[in-house]
Amino acid sequence: DHVEGVADTAVATLFLNITPEFAESLPEFPRDDPNNPDRFVVLADVTGPSGAARGYAEGTNTYRFTAVAAAEAAIRLATDGAQPGVLAPSQAFDAANVLDSLATQGIRWFVSNMEP
């Protein structure tokens, strides 16, 4: 029931003066540049009554990753189906299985329990 985002102060400061006009002037997709691999890390800390865990996924090229992940979801829906209703991807599919399948696309992931 609670989601919190965190950004490095230097990075967050870069976004303070972005206007809607500036955002609209940016290209929809970045140019492919082998010298700028567009590295990303998604980190999640989860706490609950039974404990806490930290997980992350990392890779390169967020645009390509998004397309590959969407295609993977479509293939799984077409071949295996899912429960009816609105579901988060982690509810519709086995998260570890999906993340393992994305390893061929350079995605690495890890989950560990955290000390209380």
Side-chain angles (χ1 to χ4, degrees):
D1 65 351
H2 175 77
V3 175
E4 182 176 325
V6 179
D8 183 89
T9 302
V11 173
T13 302
L14 295 173
F15 290 94
L16 289 176
N17 296 315
I18 292 180
T19 64
E21 295 79 23
F22 176 75
E24 288 297 322
S25 74
L26 297 172
E28 187 172 346
F29 298 100
R31 289 177 284 137
D32 287 336
D33 181 356
N35 296 321
N36 181 7
D38 184 26
R39 183 146 207 74
F40 70 88
V41 174
V42 177
L43 174 73
D45 287 337
V46 180
T47 58
S50 60
R54 170 173 284 174
Y56 73 84
E58 66 179 351
T60 59
N61 194 327
T62 56
Y63 287 95
R64 183 173 180 278
F65 167 71
T66 301
V68 168
E72 179 68 24
I75 290 167
R76 287 172 184 263
L77 283 173
T79 57
D80 301 330
Q83 296 175 11
V86 178
L87 304 172
S90 61
Q91 294 170 309
F93 313 112
D94 178 74
N97 186 271
V98 170
L99 288 166
D100 284 343
S101 74
L102 297 174
T104 61
Q105 305 300 318
I107 303 302
R108 296 180 337 144
W109 69 278
F110 181 77
V111 174
S112 65
N113 291 326
M114 294 174 24
E115 295 293 321

